[in-house]
């Protein structure tokens, strides 16, 4: 490699680090470089120095002028800040104004009916008058509105003031309200609910495109697609009304029912869980998120990653290129992870980037159990070649965004139901295509 | 404990201001306020250097500015703990370091092992290279830097601005400018080299 290329590579490594773009293996490389090479340390320092100076110089005149006013004369003439207390007072006023603006960005306090108790991945909340908040955080109180999961790995849990909690995962979208009676409109996707006892004349109502559910107090999961609704009751009883013909049935605990044309509206026992599962991309894209490519003479059906924008804060977002597979969904039995479980992911990449593999989990009782993931460095994949990533479930860890909730979530993924599997690259489109995902649990092959 | 200002004190004790004891208190208050002003002024002169340090740890300019802003409020409150004559930059850097940790806690980002190793390496790098003198030198670049940025072509300036101010990724810049990603990477590398060499030449000419 020529000296110029080496210089540019090193420059880009520093540049990407200064913008938070490095994956962990690259961070390790950078730490080693700085530890072992004095020239690299100097180059890093100088690049940080130039970069910061250029950022400040290129910022627009207004903010530059404000900064100069606050910090004194940057030209080095040592002009004193004449009235530091006054400057601080002004800063205080600015901060107060900003705080006021932020306060007004929050949903109106009078209408707050729910609180976010768990969150991971990217979401958007739309409230009254179309106000949209993308930088959601745990503890935020919300008025009635619509929450949308923006990526396959999105997961959000809301708690109403009476302790009833609902959670949604993946690319789901639901609208909720509570004007004396709780109502949820699940447009699409999956939600689970743990409903505290409701007044007999005002049950919690869940509306989907194809069914309506009446709930007085129970635990259940609902999966809504365009023409079908799958209800899985874990505890208590839920009444479901099929909208196409008005037929009604009560679904008891440990039973499920599918409301869709052509399906008998009869509750059946939830099948026993299984430890093995394999994707069925050759049959079509049902239950997947991504760009499905049918099988051809050239090869198998595959699922290509599509970009999702994840909002990290008010002014910061990052793009992830993701694919997702529903695992325990529809008529399938619940798929459970065990200590000996291994995930085999087959696919291909067109450029080298670290890959994130993860699962969204729930308890057998239906309660959400968070998301676990493992990351594989770019060096483990050969560009343009098919890969098979063999991932033992033991190496999966709670995703970093859920670590603050770790005391409420299981410490490991064993014994939990896999709601979905997802994998993605961060910030860079690596041309990721998945041809098959397989979960193998050698000692738990049969239904349990 | 609420702080009483010199004006409050003088107002409350105006009938006794001739008293030596009160004069002594007022003198001490004058000295305290003078020290506060000195410390703040000196700390503010380190602001860019501190932003650069915070950015190196946080990987984001805006978050770095927030951390430095918080650190400046700490400086205002704890100015009396600064031992005059010692390095202001080192004192402020320690405060910024704590604010960086707080910022990470707020964003609920648990540090991975590589990140912790990298933090240590960056701290060592800043201990080695960031000096008061260098901070002063950096502030003297500003005029030359603005002139040199003005000499870049419009496209180079747009690419540079997209990266350093808007913090766009290489591919987002490619979309914004209609260039290839490789073209963006080259333009950034060359543009920065060009600016740096221009500033260094200007400063040599001035000296």
């Amino acid at each position: 490699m020529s000296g110029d290329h080496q210089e540019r590579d090193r420059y880009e490594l520093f540049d990407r680090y200064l913008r938070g773009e490095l994956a962990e293996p690259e961070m390790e490389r950078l730490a080693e470089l700085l530890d072992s090479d004095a020239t690299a340390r100097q180059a890093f320092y100088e690049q940080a120095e130039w970069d910061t100076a250029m950022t400040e110089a290129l910022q627009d005149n207004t903010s530059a002028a404000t900064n100069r006013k606050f910090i004194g004369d940057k030209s080095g003439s040592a002009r004193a800040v004449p009235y530091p207390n006054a400057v601080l007072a002004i800063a205080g006023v600015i901060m107060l104004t900003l705080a006021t603006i932020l306060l007004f960005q929050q949903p109106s306090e009078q209408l707050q009916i729910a609180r976010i108790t768990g969150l991971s991945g990217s979401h958007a909340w739309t409230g009254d008058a179309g106000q949209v908040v993308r930088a959601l955080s745990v503890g935020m109180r919300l008025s009635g509105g619509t929450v949308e999961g923006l990526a396959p790995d999105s997961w959000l849990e809301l708690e109403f003031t009476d302790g009833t909690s609902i959670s949604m995962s993946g690319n789901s979208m639901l609208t909720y309200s509570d004007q004396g009676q709780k109502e949820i409109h699940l447009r699409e996707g999956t939600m689970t609910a743990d409903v505290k006892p409701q007044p007999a004349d005002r049950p919690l109502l869940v509306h989907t495109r194809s069914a309506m559910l009446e709930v007085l107090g129970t635990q259940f999961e609902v999966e809504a697609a365009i023409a079908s609704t799958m209800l899985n009751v874990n505890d208590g009883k839920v009444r479901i009304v099929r909208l196409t013909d008005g037929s009604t049935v009560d679904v008891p605990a440990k039973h499920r029912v599918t409301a869709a044309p052509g399906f008998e509206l009869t509750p059946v026992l939830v099948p026993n869980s299984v430890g093995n599962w394999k994707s069925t991309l050759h049959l079509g894209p049902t239950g997947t998120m991504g760009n499905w490519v049918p099988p051809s003479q050239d090869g198998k059906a595959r699922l290509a990653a599509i970009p999702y924008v994840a909002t990290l804060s008010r002014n910061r977002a990052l793009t992830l290129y993701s694919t997702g597979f529903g695992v325990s969904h529809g008529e399938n039995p619940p798929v459970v992870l065990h200590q000996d479980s291994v995930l085999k992911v087959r696919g291909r990449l067109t450029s080298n980037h670290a890959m994130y593999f993860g699962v969204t989990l729930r308890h057998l009782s239906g309660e959400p159990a968070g998301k676990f993931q493992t990351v594989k460095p770019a060096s483990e994949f050969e560009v343009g070649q098919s890969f098979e990533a063999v991932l033992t479930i033991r190496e999966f860890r709670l995703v970093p965004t859920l670590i603050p909730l770790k005391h409420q979530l299981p410490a490991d993924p064993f014994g939990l139901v896999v709601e979905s599997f997802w994998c993605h690259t961060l910030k860079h489109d690596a041309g990721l295509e998945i041809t098959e995902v397989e979960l193998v649990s050698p000692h738990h092959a049969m239904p349990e | 404990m609420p702080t009483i200002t010199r004006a409050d004190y003088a107002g409350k004790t105006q009938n006794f201001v001739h008293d030596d004891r009160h004069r002594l208190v007022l003198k001490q208050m004058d000295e305290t306020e003078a020290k506060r002003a000195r410390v703040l002024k000196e700390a503010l002169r380190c602001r860019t250097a501190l932003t650069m340090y915070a950015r190196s740890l946080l990987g984001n300019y805006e978050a770095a500015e927030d951390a430095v802003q918080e650190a400046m409020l700490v400086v205002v409150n704890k100015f009396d703990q600064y031992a005059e004559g010692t390095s202001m930059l080192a004192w402020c850097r320690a405060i910024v370091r704590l604010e960086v940790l707080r910022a990470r806690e707020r964003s609920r980002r648990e540090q991975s092992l590589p990140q912790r190793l990298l933090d240590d390496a960056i701290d060592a790098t800043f201990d080695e290279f960031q000096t008061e003198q260098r901070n002063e030198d950096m502030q003297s670049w500003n005029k030359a830097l603005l002139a040199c940025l003005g000499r870049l072509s419009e496209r180079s300036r747009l690419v540079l601005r997209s990266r350093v101010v808007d913090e766009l990724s290489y591919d987002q810049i490619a979309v914004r400018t209609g260039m290839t990603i490789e073209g963006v990477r080259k333009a950034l590398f060359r543009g920065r080299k060009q600016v740096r060499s221009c500033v260094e030449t200007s400063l040599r000419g001035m000296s």
Side-chain angles (χ1 to χ4, degrees):
Chain A
M1 195 187 279
S2 75
D4 206 32
H5 268 96
Q6 266 179 343
E7 190 190 344
R8 201 179 96 182
D9 277 355
R10 195 165 71 177
Y11 153 82
E12 284 184 0
L13 182 70
F14 297 165
D15 178 57
R16 289 176 48 236
Y17 172 71
L18 289 170
R19 279 158 192 83
E21 293 176 356
L22 291 195
E24 283 195 358
E26 292 172 299
M27 282 191 192
E28 272 180 51
R29 196 180 126 212
L30 178 57
E32 275 171 24
L33 183 67
L34 295 180
D35 277 339
S36 61
D37 184 345
T39 335
R41 281 199 296 279
Q42 183 168 358
F44 175 85
Y45 181 82
E46 287 177 2
Q47 192 162 325
E49 195 171 47
W50 280 99
D51 217 83
T52 306
M54 274 195 266
T55 306
E56 299 203 337
L58 279 168
Q59 274 178 334
D60 64 56
N61 292 338
T62 319
S63 64
T66 313
N67 279 341
R68 274 197 293 277
K69 208 172 193 175
F70 186 65
I71 68 172
D73 189 350
K74 281 171 80 179
S75 68
S77 64
R79 190 174 74 195
V81 179
Y83 305 108
N85 289 335
V87 169
L88 287 170
I90 293 165
V93 171
I94 292 168
M95 285 168 78
L96 189 65
T97 312
L98 284 175
T100 311
I101 291 167
L102 283 172
L103 186 69
F104 278 99
Q105 280 193 334
Q106 302 287 320
S108 160
E109 201 167 308
Q110 292 170 339
L111 300 169
Q112 288 166 1
I113 57 168
R115 185 171 62 96
I116 298 176
T117 48
L119 177 76
S120 177
S122 193
H123 296 84
W125 175 86
T126 309
D128 291 340
Q131 176 196 11
V132 178
V133 179
R134 293 184 65 136
L136 299 176
S137 59
V138 172
M140 190 179 267
R141 291 180 184 279
L142 303 173
S143 57
T146 299
V147 192
E148 191 180 355
L150 298 175
D153 69 334
S154 301
W155 176 75
L156 181 137
E157 189 179 50
L158 276 180
E159 190 179 276
F160 288 91
T161 43
D162 69 347
T164 293
S165 67
I166 56 173
S167 73
M168 55 187 273
S169 58
N171 295 71
S172 302
M173 186 176 182
L174 64 81
T175 303
Y176 61 94
S177 64
D178 187 357
Q179 293 174 320
Q181 180 171 27
K182 292 180 187 63
E183 286 197 59
I184 294 165
H185 292 256
L186 179 64
R187 311 281 173 85
E188 59 179 309
T190 308
M191 68 163 267
T192 64
D194 184 354
V195 183
K196 298 288 176 209
Q198 303 294 301
D201 57 336
R202 281 171 286 152
L204 181 148
L205 300 177
V206 180
H207 306 268
T208 67
R209 293 175 204 247
S210 54
M212 187 187 75
L213 280 55
E214 283 181 20
V215 188
L216 286 172
T218 182
Q219 270 186 354
F220 63 93
E221 298 140 38
V222 193
E223 194 179 309
I226 291 175
S228 67
T229 298
M230 210 280 295
L231 167 68
N232 195 344
V233 180
N234 304 303
D235 187 28
K237 190 172 71 177
V238 175
R239 173 165 295 169
I240 184 167
V241 181
R242 184 162 61 189
L243 297 180
T244 48
D245 58 3
S247 52
T248 300
V249 68
D250 286 341
V251 184
K254 312 284 179 215
H255 283 70
R256 60 163 55 166
V257 74
T258 301
F263 278 77
E264 212 176 306
L265 194 68
T266 308
V268 293
L269 256 174
V270 174
N272 286 335
S273 64
V274 294
N276 289 356
W277 171 84
K278 199 187 228 180
S279 61
T280 51
L281 280 178
H282 58 287
L283 299 178
T286 308
T288 64
M289 292 305 304
N291 194 6
W292 181 72
V293 183
S296 64
Q297 283 187 333
D298 300 338
K300 294 177 170 178
R302 53 197 195 273
L303 194 65
I306 50 176
Y308 293 92
V309 177
T311 305
L312 304 179
S313 66
R314 212 153 39 91
N315 299 313
R316 188 139 194 255
L318 64 81
T319 309
L320 41 101
Y321 294 84
S322 189
T323 60
F325 294 76
V327 178
S328 304
H329 77 109
E331 298 288 297
N332 299 337
V335 179
V336 170
L337 294 178
H338 298 279
Q339 296 212 14
D340 63 344
S341 298
V342 173
L343 255 173
K344 295 179 180 173
V345 184
R346 301 176 187 105
R348 171 185 172 97
L349 288 170
T350 55
S351 64
N352 268 89
H353 290 288
M355 290 258 292
Y356 294 71
F357 300 93
V359 283
T360 302
L361 303 175
R362 63 170 188 253
H363 291 277
L364 278 162
S365 62
E367 284 171 88
K371 300 190 310 180
F372 287 73
Q373 71 170 24
T374 184
V375 186
K376 292 289 169 194
S379 56
E380 292 197 11
F381 303 97
E382 255 183 82
V383 171
Q385 300 294 313
S386 297
F387 68 77
E388 181 186 62
V390 179
L391 314 162
T392 60
I393 293 304
R394 287 170 190 274
E395 66 189 275
F396 279 61
R397 298 281 177 273
L398 199 61
V399 297
T401 47
L402 289 178
I403 285 172
L405 302 174
K406 66 181 176 188
H407 300 300
Q408 295 156 244
L409 294 168
D412 53 53
F414 313 130
L416 299 169
V417 177
V418 187
E419 203 166 277
S420 62
F421 162 82
W422 36 269
C423 71
H424 61 243
T425 56
L426 274 186
K427 294 192 176 183
H428 301 280
D429 184 4
L432 170 65
E433 288 181 344
I434 301 295
T435 51
E436 193 168 59
V437 185
E438 187 179 5
L439 179 76
V440 184
S441 305
H443 299 108
H444 302 84
M446 300 303 289
E448 293 143 21
Chain B
M1 196 169 90
T3 317
I4 183 162
T5 66
R6 186 189 189 284
D8 290 339
Y9 186 84
K12 284 176 184 161
T13 59
Q14 54 188 324
N15 297 331
F16 314 101
V17 83
H18 57 277
D19 184 305
D20 281 351
R21 199 159 50 89
H22 292 303
R23 266 203 288 273
L24 183 65
V25 172
L26 286 172
K27 189 175 169 224
Q28 280 169 349
M29 283 186 162
D30 282 343
E31 279 168 6
T32 306
E33 283 188 19
K35 180 175 178 185
R36 190 208 301 264
R38 273 198 309 279
V39 170
L40 183 61
K41 180 185 139 193
E42 239 188 288
L44 288 171
R45 286 183 60 74
C46 302
R47 200 196 63 101
T48 304
L50 295 171
T51 307
M52 166 188 157
Y53 171 65
R55 179 191 211 167
S56 298
L57 292 168
L58 287 167
N60 179 276
Y61 182 79
E62 201 177 312
E65 274 197 318
D66 289 348
V68 172
Q69 185 77 9
E70 293 294 329
M72 286 299 152
L73 293 175
V74 175
V75 168
V76 171
N77 290 328
K78 305 225 164 146
F79 71 97
D80 52 337
Q81 292 178 14
Y82 171 64
E84 288 187 276
T86 60
S87 167
M88 171 60 75
L89 188 57
W91 186 62
C92 288
R93 217 164 56 206
I95 297 172
V96 169
R97 187 76 175 87
L98 289 174
E99 290 307 324
V100 165
L101 288 174
R102 285 203 183 103
R104 284 194 178 133
E105 271 170 26
R106 276 197 298 274
S107 65
R108 296 162 196 270
R109 277 175 55 190
E110 185 153 297
Q111 271 189 287
S112 60
L113 180 64
Q115 179 68 68
R116 282 201 292 270
L117 294 174
L118 198 45
D119 278 4
D120 291 345
I122 285 165
D123 273 333
T125 303
F126 274 72
D127 282 344
E128 192 175 352
F129 294 102
Q130 195 172 46
T131 59
E132 307 277 351
Q133 184 54 50
R134 193 151 183 143
N135 183 34
E136 291 298 313
D137 291 349
M138 191 182 169
Q139 297 193 32
S140 67
W141 298 348
N142 202 38
K143 211 170 163 187
L145 182 57
L146 281 170
C148 290
L149 285 167
R151 279 183 217 156
L152 286 177
S153 70
E154 209 164 298
R155 176 177 265 205
S156 296
R157 212 164 40 241
L158 175 64
V159 171
L160 206 53
R161 191 188 163 81
S162 301
R163 185 67 175 158
V164 302
V165 179
D166 303 333
E167 303 212 314
L168 298 186
S169 63
Y170 298 148
D171 32 2
Q172 286 170 321
I173 300 172
V175 173
R176 180 186 267 195
T177 57
M179 296 164 78
T180 61
I181 293 174
E182 183 58 15
V184 168
R185 292 167 65 192
K186 278 187 184 159
L188 277 169
F189 182 63
R190 287 184 189 149
R192 279 164 156 157
K193 256 187 142 173
Q194 198 182 330
V195 171
R196 184 171 170 172
S197 139
C198 167
V199 171
E200 284 170 350
T201 310
S202 308
L203 294 176
R204 268 199 302 275
M206 279 158 67
S207 65

